[in-house]
Amino acid sequence: MHRKVFAGRLFERQVALIGGGCSDVGRALAVRLAQAGASLALLDLDMAALDSLVEHLADHHNCAALGLPCDLTDALAVEHAVTLVGERFGGIDLLACCAVVHHCGGICDTAPEVFRRVMEINFFGALHCVQAALPGLLARRGQIVVAGALPAFGPPQVSRGAEAASRQALLGLFETLRLEVAADGVNVMLVCPGRAGEPACDDPSGAEAAGRLPSAQDIAEAIFQGVAPPPSADAAQLRLARPAAGAARAVVGPDGTQGAVREESCRRRRDRV
């Protein structure tokens, strides 16, 4: 497992926007980035949770944080929120799409409206964030991180049809985006961990998965390691120290181990399943 790097504020004068900022992974990532000196903009529907998180970041990490209530399924609302972030911080260096909804249910037993809702949050929520933030990210040669899940990377799972469909769509979208923006210096990373904070459909108590699946903190740390510049880079070098655009996907294994895996390795692994 990677060691946390606290020697130096690696994201000093960097701005991170987290969609789904109050989700388990979103909150853990916000704290990790705040420890590294980033300014944060958090989008979520839960206003009380946003206020609590912003207060925590300010009090415990001396972090400049902006919490904006926002329905990520509403493209215009997301566009307005990104505009407010630009007005407050001057731009965005890192976009992290962490909003997620899980669903258990057989395909024939799940209403079409449920499929649409899962797709709206897991797929369109991320799409809206990227479309709104991409012009600014291109200008600053920024980074995009999307929290995927095992349904997008492994074999099918019974009762996960709606979630798997949304994750597979997410995978295809962002692998295509990686190719489209690689020449512009924007790095796109898809994180494919196990479930965080959500029991399996056939294990509602979560007892079977305890100690086996990565925690939200494990996933956030893997994301951080994937996007962080080298500790030796100074503020003027940060954007030049990005990983090569399109080079890596972060993976968190079932035992919580972390790493950045070359795209070719990811493809070979997916071909085997």
Side-chain angles (χ1 to χ4, degrees):
M1 182 170 300
H2 288 290
R3 295 175 57 190
K4 291 185 178 180
V5 179
F6 290 103
R9 294 168 66 81
L10 301 181
F11 281 85
E12 196 81 55
R13 293 189 290 276
Q14 301 289 292
V15 179
L17 170 63
I18 303 178
C22 295
S23 66
D24 290 340
V25 174
R27 181 183 178 92
L29 180 59
V31 170
R32 189 66 182 93
L33 289 169
Q35 292 169 341
S39 298
L40 294 170
L42 310 169
L43 307 185
D44 205 283
L45 274 177
D46 191 335
M47 189 66 224
L50 278 172
D51 288 343
S52 175
L53 179 54
V54 167
E55 181 178 359
H56 173 83
L57 294 172
D59 292 346
H60 295 273
H61 303 289
N62 193 29
C63 172
L66 174 66
L68 295 172
C70 182
D71 181 358
L72 300 183
T73 68
D74 183 337
L76 292 179
V78 174
E79 184 176 348
H80 178 63
V82 170
T83 299
L84 293 177
V85 173
E87 291 174 354
R88 168 72 180 273
F89 295 114
I92 300 169
D93 298 284
L94 171 66
L95 169 66
C97 301
C98 299
V100 60
V101 61
H102 301 280
H103 178 264
C104 294
I107 292 174
C108 292
D109 299 324
T110 302
E113 292 76 16
V114 175
F115 274 89
R116 292 190 184 95
R117 185 58 179 167
V118 172
M119 187 66 74
E120 284 177 354
I121 296 173
N122 291 354
F123 176 78
F124 283 102
L127 174 62
H128 294 158
C129 287
V130 166
Q131 288 182 324
L134 188 55
L137 290 165
L138 288 169
R140 294 168 74 113
R141 297 174 63 88
Q143 302 191 80
I144 300 169
V145 179
V146 185
L150 286 178
F153 198 55
Q157 299 177 21
V158 174
S159 299
R160 289 280 182 180
E163 186 177 351
S166 68
R167 299 301 193 159
Q168 291 284 353
L170 202 64
L171 178 65
L173 177 72
F174 283 94
E175 288 198 330
T176 302
L177 178 64
R178 180 188 288 123
L179 298 177
E180 291 184 358
V181 299
D184 298 306
V186 173
N187 186 53
V188 178
M189 184 170 69
L190 182 66
V191 180
C192 298
R195 297 178 301 273
E198 181 74 11
C201 293
D202 56 358
D203 180 30
S205 68
E208 180 182 341
R212 182 166 56 88
L213 293 175
S215 68
Q217 288 71 28
D218 290 330
I219 297 169
E221 183 63 24
I223 294 173
F224 181 86
Q225 296 290 343
V227 300
S232 59
D234 60 28
Q237 296 174 317
L238 287 179
R239 293 188 185 89
L240 297 178
R242 301 296 192 201
R249 173 185 292 120
V251 176
V252 184
D255 59 353
T257 56
Q258 307 158 14
V261 182
R262 289 288 174 185
E263 175 66 15
E264 293 79 8
S265 299
C266 292
R267 291 190 184 281
R268 287 197 296 271
R269 178 177 172 186
R270 191 166 67 247
D271 289 342
R272 289 200 299 269
V273 297

